[in-house]
Amino acid sequence: MKINRRRRLIKTFNLLDQPIRFNPFVFSRTFFMWAFTGLVGGAIAGGYWIILEHFTEFLVQFQGWMVIPTMAICGLLAGLVIHFIGDPGEIHLIVNNIRFNKGKLDPKNNPSMILSSLFCVASGGSLGPEAPLVQVTGSTGTWLGKIFRLKGEELRSLSIAGMASGFTALFGAPLGGSLFSLEILHHRHAVEYYKAIIPALVASCFSYVMFALIIHLGIGATWDLKAYHYSGVYDFIYAFLFGVVATIFGWIFIFVVKFFKKVFEYRPFPIYVKTLAGGIILGIIAYNFPMTRYFGHHEINQLINGNFALNFLIVILVFKIIAIAVTVTSGWRGGFIIPLFFVGTTLGLIIHQLFPTVDTTLAIVSCMAAINACVTRTPMSTTIILGTLTGFTYFVPILFASLTGYFLAPKIPFIGSQSEKLSEE
C-alpha cells in the first residue's frame, strides 16, 4: 500500500510540475498571426481598390479618339515607373519565388508594382488587379513572417496566406481564394503546399471581412446570369462539350500570347518603349471596340444583359484575346484571370446564338471555367470562385468543364514556373 501511495504521490507531483495550459482549443498564437496577416492584406486590398476606382473614374472620361493618347501616355508612365523604380515581375516570378526561393516574396518592388499596375488597369488595359494585389499581399506575408521570426515551411505558409488574402479580397470567395493560392503554385496533379491550406483559409476569411468593411461589399453574385435549371444528366455532357470548345480557345490564347511575346522581344528595346507601343495598340483596339477596354469586371454584365448580334460577339472575342495578349507581352502589369472570364462569357453567348436551345448560363459558366482552368491549371478553385461570382450553385457541371480544361491543357504550362521542380531549396 505504501508503494502505491508513493507512486500516486510522485505522479501528482509530476503533473503539478507541468506548466498549466489555459488554452484547451486547437487554435494557438499562430491563429492570430494568420488572422493579422489577413486583416493587413484586406486593408491593403481595400485601399488599392479605392484608389483604382477613383483613378479609373478620372481616365474613363477620355472617350472616342482620346482613348488612344490616354492609353499610350499611361503605358509610357507605367514603363518609366518600372524602369526607374524597379521591375516587380509578374505572376511567373511570384510562383517561382514561392517554389524555389523558400517562399520569400520581396516587398521592395511593391511601390513599382502598385504604381505601374494602377496606370495599366485604370487606363483600360486588359489585365485585372489580381496579380498586383497578390504580389503585394503575399510579400507583406513574407515581411510579417520575418517579424514573427518564422523560417522554412512556416514562412512559406504565411506568404501563401498573404497571397490568399489578396485573391479573396478581389473574388469575394475565401475558400476559392485559398485554394487558388495553392493550386496556381503547382503543375502536378496534387496541391504541393497543402500544409498552408488552414493558414490561407484563416487569412482569407479575415481579409474578406476587412475588404468588405472598407468598400462596403455586399454578399451576392457579381455577374447577373439568369437562373439555371437542371434539365437532366445531359447537362454534364453539355458542360463537357462547352469545356472542349473553351479549351480550344485557351490553346489559341496561349499561342497568340507566344506570338506577341516574340514580336515584343524581337529587339531589346527599353521597357517604357514596349509599354508605350502596347498602349498605342490597345488604344486603337479600344477606340474601335470600346467593350474590349478594361479587364471585364463591369463589361461582363454588359455582355450578359445586352442583346448583341453574332458578328459583333465574334469580333469582340477575337480582339479581346488580342488585347489580353498585347497587354501581357508588352510589359503592362496586371492579372489575366477576369479577362479570361470575359472571353469565356463571350464564347458562351456565341454558342447560345449558334444553338438557341442551349442554356445560356450553363454555356457561359462552362466556358469561363474551362478556359481559365486550361491557362492557369486551377480546376478546383476556379469552380468555387465561379460559383461565388455567378451565383451558379450547381458545382458539378462547372467542375466537369474545369476538369476538361485542365486535362486538355498544353503539357507545358502557360505559367512557366508551374513546371516540375528541378531542384529543392
Side-chain angles (χ1 to χ4, degrees):
M1 292 294 294
K2 289 184 178 180
I3 294 174
N4 289 335
R5 285 179 184 176
R6 286 180 181 178
R7 283 177 179 173
R8 285 197 295 267
L9 190 62
I10 291 170
K11 188 179 289 187
T12 303
F13 278 117
N14 284 340
L15 286 172
L16 292 174
D17 192 46
Q18 299 296 321
I20 299 173
R21 302 191 178 199
F22 292 100
N23 176 21
F25 305 107
V26 171
F27 74 82
S28 60
R29 74 177 187 89
T30 53
F31 171 87
F32 298 102
M33 185 170 60
W34 303 332
F36 182 70
T37 301
L39 290 172
V40 173
I44 291 171
Y48 181 92
W49 187 263
I50 290 172
I51 295 170
L52 177 63
E53 281 195 324
H54 286 299
F55 196 22
T56 303
E57 287 175 7
F58 170 72
L59 293 177
V60 79
Q61 301 175 75
F62 300 99
Q63 299 287 339
W65 67 268
M66 285 294 293
V67 73
I68 300 174
T70 299
M71 296 190 73
I73 292 170
C74 285
L76 175 62
L77 292 173
L80 291 172
V81 167
I82 295 169
H83 179 75
F84 288 108
I85 300 181
D87 189 349
E90 299 174 354
I91 190 70
H92 304 268
L93 182 62
I94 297 174
V95 176
N96 191 64
N97 284 340
I98 289 291
R99 301 187 66 197
F100 304 121
N101 191 31
K102 299 180 180 179
K104 297 175 183 176
L105 298 177
D106 197 342
K108 72 177 182 180
N109 289 324
N110 283 352
S112 175
M113 174 58 89
I114 291 171
L115 286 173
S116 60
S117 65
L118 283 173
F119 282 117
C120 295
V121 178
S123 63
S126 287
L127 289 178
E130 60 269 24
L133 277 180
V134 166
Q135 175 155 332
V136 173
T137 55
S139 60
T140 301
T142 300
W143 176 68
L144 290 173
K146 289 179 179 179
I147 291 177
F148 297 139
R149 297 182 180 179
L150 301 182
K151 294 180 180 179
E153 285 302 315
E154 287 188 333
L155 178 61
R156 194 198 310 269
S157 293
L158 203 64
S159 298
I160 294 173
M163 290 172 58
S165 70
F167 275 124
T168 296
L170 182 64
F171 295 128
L175 181 56
S178 304
L179 281 175
F180 202 99
S181 65
L182 297 176
E183 276 192 297
I184 204 167
L185 299 175
H186 74 93
H187 172 48
R188 287 289 181 182
H189 312 313
V191 176
E192 237 172 288
Y193 306 111
Y194 61 90
K195 293 180 181 178
I197 184 61
I198 296 300
L201 188 58
V202 171
S204 292
C205 290
F206 280 87
S207 171
Y208 179 77
V209 171
M210 177 61 73
F211 188 73
L213 286 172
I214 291 173
I215 70 165
H216 307 292
L217 180 70
I219 296 177
T222 302
W223 298 316
D224 307 323
L225 288 171
K226 296 177 182 177
Y228 163 74
H229 300 286
Y230 175 69
S231 59
V233 72
Y234 289 108
D235 280 7
F236 302 119
I237 299 175
Y238 288 139
F240 165 74
L241 293 175
F242 299 150
V244 171
V245 175
T247 303
I248 292 171
F249 278 87
W251 278 71
I252 292 171
F253 167 75
I254 291 171
F255 281 115
V256 172
V257 169
K258 288 183 177 180
F259 169 77
F260 278 103
K261 188 175 182 180
K262 289 181 180 178
V263 171
F264 282 104
E265 291 181 352
Y266 183 71
R267 292 289 177 85
F269 291 111
I271 184 67
Y272 51 84
V273 174
K274 294 179 181 179
T275 53
L276 172 62
I280 293 170
I281 297 170
L282 293 171
I284 293 170
I285 295 174
Y287 170 68
N288 290 283
F289 309 103
M291 192 164 285
T292 62
R293 192 182 181 191
Y294 295 106
F295 61 98
H297 185 74
H298 300 293
E299 288 72 23
I300 287 175
N301 274 333
Q302 293 177 25
L303 275 176
I304 294 170
N305 297 323
N307 187 20
F308 300 107
L310 178 62
N311 291 341
F312 176 81
L313 292 173
I314 292 172
V315 170
I316 290 297
L317 176 67
V318 171
F319 280 96
K320 186 63 176 181
I321 290 175
I322 294 173
I324 300 171
V326 170
T327 313
V328 168
T329 56
S330 63
W332 284 46
R333 292 296 183 262
F336 45 78
I337 297 166
I338 294 181
L340 285 176
F341 287 158
F342 180 95
V343 173
T345 303
T346 311
L347 187 57
L349 290 171
I350 290 172
I351 292 173
H352 177 69
Q353 291 263 11
L354 294 172
F355 306 98
T357 57
V358 164
D359 186 283
T360 314
T361 299
L362 181 62
I364 289 173
V365 174
S366 298
C367 289
M368 291 170 110
I371 194 169
N372 188 66
C374 173
V375 175
T376 64
R377 310 294 180 93
T378 56
M380 292 187 293
S381 53
T382 294
T383 301
I384 297 170
I385 287 170
L386 279 177
T388 303
L389 292 175
T390 63
F392 194 99
T393 55
Y394 297 85
F395 280 169
V396 180
I398 313 179
L399 191 55
F400 267 65
S402 294
L403 290 174
T404 301
Y406 176 75
F407 285 109
L408 295 182
K411 189 173 183 179
I412 299 175
F414 177 73
I415 301 174
S417 45
Q418 285 180 329
S419 298
E420 188 177 359
K421 281 190 178 184
L422 299 175
S423 62
E424 285 288 341
E425 65 274 355

